[in-house]
Structures are given as structure tokens and as C-alpha cells.
Amino acid sequence: MGRIIYKKAIVVSNEIEPSEEYKRPQKVIRNPFEMAKQQIDIVAKEMRLDKNITKYLKRVERSLIVSIPVVMDNGELEVFEGYRAQHSTVRGPGKGGIRFSPNVCLDEVKALATWMTWKNSLLNLPLGGAKGGVCVDPRKLSLGELERLTRRYTAEIINIIGPDIDIPAPDVGTDKRIMAWIMDVYSMQKGRSVPGVVTGKPIEIGGSVGRESATGMGLYYVLDALYKKMNLALKGSSIVVQGFGNVGGTIARILYEKGAKIIAISDISGGLYDNKGLDIKKLSEWVDQNHFLKDYREENYEFIPNDKLLNIDCDVLIPAAIENQITLDNADNINCGIILEGANGPTTPEADEILRERGIIVVPDILANAGGVCVSYFEYIQDIHSYFWKLDRINQELEGIMVNTFSEVYDLSLKKNTTLRTAAYIIAVSRLARAIELRGIFP
Ligand code: NAD
């Protein structure tokens, strides 16, 4: 075994200033957990929430930092840092994805866990909010290294996950194969097969049909419901999508098939633009083979960087990559009628205010991208009952929940003359506050 390399996590928080050496390579825009807390303050003021409850909601119940030693293929040991944060388990076990990304830090995971609490409460699912992550670029690992990293991370967090405690799922940089390894480690430790410990698994080991496309399907149901309220037609609408992974790729394919014009799409390598509309089917096949959009060539397609993509004139902008994309720096230049938040936390509270003043409708993440956790919940139920549903039932139940939740949020936003985000937060926070009141504070 060779040199031990310790990969220190990049910490971006108000309290701890990271040393120069470990600062994020790209510009730090906002600490996402500070953003999540600011969102709670905004809604607490709007609904005159009890100050003690507000104080309680701005803290995560539990967060764990773990070191993950991995023997690399070259025989050297690398030690990565991983996290799992549970914001609230008041309404049920924690639920939320696991992210493998070089930018993951504790505050990012805490923010994502907080947003999961609101999302699950908004959908009225009997679940709390959690999230996890490992500070690693999974694309730089071999398959064997990725498996060893996943198995050791699972072993490190095993005492705080489980079907009754906290149920992880895929997120940025993780997929069903990784969920299968997590389920295997957990099951080996328990001495029996426990499929309910994670969702987003392969169908062969207790996964659900429709889970992979669920977030994109949910985005579509919500956008369709909004379009109906506004008497608009999706066919021919111009759409811009940032991110071409699970969420961005699925919604782009659905809208393309429904006759909308996807005029621009991007991944981390950059984007492609054609005002007449891109061939999403061809681009999906390309990305399946070549991973990135950057080398794709087609006569009329213009290659554009991600920051330019966000300013393109369109009917609907769908940020479906990462958080902190629409900020004070670019909110004035956003050129769309509707923003449908596929990613978690793509818009900062300051940018939100500018968009509101400019009359741009923002469908907030906790509503728009909730289809994923909704079908994860269906998967969890199916695992518990060992009885699996057909795709028609999944999509029908998903549509029912997404459209009803959208209507509830939309109606409240009209009644209170507020944004969809504030209305969604009022519903989610009220439900959780009521649960806290009913349970009381232990002891
Ligand atoms: P993914 O890893 O499948 O895809 C992410 C995409 O974003 C990739 O195309 C990647 O190249 C691109 N990307 C990454 N960094 C970028 C950057 N700086 N600029 C532009 N593009 C960039 O991840 P995903 O599962 O599609 O998740 C995307 C977002 O949706 C995340 O915010 C995630 O938390 C959220 N989300 C995912 C699910 C789910 O079911 N997967 C559910 C709800 C919310």
C-alpha cells in the first residue's frame, strides 16, 4: 500500500471559512444551507409562525461526517469524506438522495435534507427529510473503486439508515447500480434481504417500474397543469433545459415527444442551441454513447456555455442540474415566462424576489421535482408489501398526487396573492409545525 491521501471536504459555511487550498474551484455564490434557512424566515414571516417552531425548523436533527478509506486500483489508499444529514423525522423516517460530487459539503447536504422535509410534507407523504453525499468525482473512479467507495460509505452510515429510520435514493452522480450495492451491504449486515432500505433500486431486486423517469414525469404533470390553468398549449412552446442527466434528460424527452420545441439543452460540458428546436432523441443517443454534449456537431446547432443558456429567450426555462444557478448576477437577464425547477435549489432567494417583480412564474423545486420522491415512496410501500404495481398504476397515482398538490399550491397562491414558492412553503411548513405541536418536544 502506498501513500495515504486525505481528501479534505470543501466546507462552505458562514461559521467555518475554508482555507484557500480547499475552496471550491468555481465561484461560491451562496451557501445553500443559509439559503434554506432564509427561505424558512421568509415563509415564517408570511404565516406569522411561532418563533420557537421557526428556531426548531432551522436546525437539522442529526448530521454525520464519515471518512471513507478506499484502496484504489493502483494500490494506494485514498480517504474520501461522506455525509448523511437528517433534517426532520417528525412526520416519518428520513428520505432523500445520496450525491457523489466533488463539490459536496456538509452545508449542501443539510440544505438538501431541509428541502426534502418540505417536499415530503407538501406532498403529504409520511416521510421526513434527509440527504447524503460523498465528496468525490465518480467519473474519475473505476467501477471497482466506485463499488468499494459505496460499500464503505454504506458501512459508515449503517447505524442511522434503515426502512424505519432513513431511506436513501439516487441523486447527482449516483444511480440504481449504487443503490443495489447499498442494499446489499445493509442486507448482509442484517442477515436478511432488506429491499426497503433504499429506493431507486434495479427492478430485479425490489425497485419500482417508473422510478427512473418519475422526476421528469412529475415535472411534466405540473407544467401541464399550469399550462391548462393559463390556457396555453405545450405544443410548439419553446423550452430551455439546463442539465441532461436523469431529470433534465427525461423532461426534455417527454416535452419533445409532446411536440414542444427544446431550443437549448446543456450538461456540465456546455450546451447546444437551435431556435428551430433540437433533435432530443438523437442527442440522447449521443450522450448514452459519448457521455457529454460538447463534441456533438450538427450544422445549425450553436455550442453555448451554461451561463448563456440561462439567458435564452424562451417560454419555459428548466434548470435541472445543480443549485445556485439563478442568482443576483443573472436574474435580470432571465428571458422566459416560466421557470420550472427540476434541480433542488437552483434559484437564490434574492433572485426569486427579482423574478417575482419581473412577473416570471417560478414553479418551486419542492413542488416541481417531487415526482421522484413520490415514486420512491411507492417503491418503499411495494417493498414492504412485497407486491409490485404496474406502470399504469404508478403513473396514474403519481399524476393524481402531483396535479392535486399543484392545484392546492396554485389556489393558495391566488388566495394569499403570493408566489407559488411561498404558497408551497406555507402548506409544507404548516403541516410540519402541526406535527411538532401534536408530538410536543421531548422530554
Ligand atoms: P444527474 O447526475 O443524472 O444529471 C445532472 C446533469 O447536470 C448532468 O447532465 C450534468 O452534466 C449536469 N451538470 C452538472 N453540473 C453542472 C453545471 N455546473 N452546469 C450545467 N450542468 C451541470 O442528476 P439528476 O438526478 O438529473 O439531478 C439533477 C438535479 O435534480 C439535482 O439538483 C437533484 O438534486 C435534483 N433532483 C433529482 C431527482 C432524481 O430523482 N434524480 C429528484 C429530485 C430532484
Side-chain angles (χ1 to χ4, degrees), residues 2 26 82 134 139 146 170 173-174 204 219 227 236 248 278 284 288 346 358 372 376 419 424 440:
Q26 69 269 58
V134 177
R139 291 165 304 182
L146 186 63
T174 57
E204 298 83 345
L219 283 169
Y227 259 56
L278 304 165
S284 298
D288 281 348
R358 293 187 55 213
S376 270
T419 61

Side-chain angles (χ1 to χ4, degrees), residues 76-89:
E76 296 204 352
L77 187 80
E78 288 220 27
V79 187
F80 299 88
E81 190 152 286
Y83 315 91
R84 185 77 190 167
Q86 292 155 357
H87 171 255
S88 172
T89 53

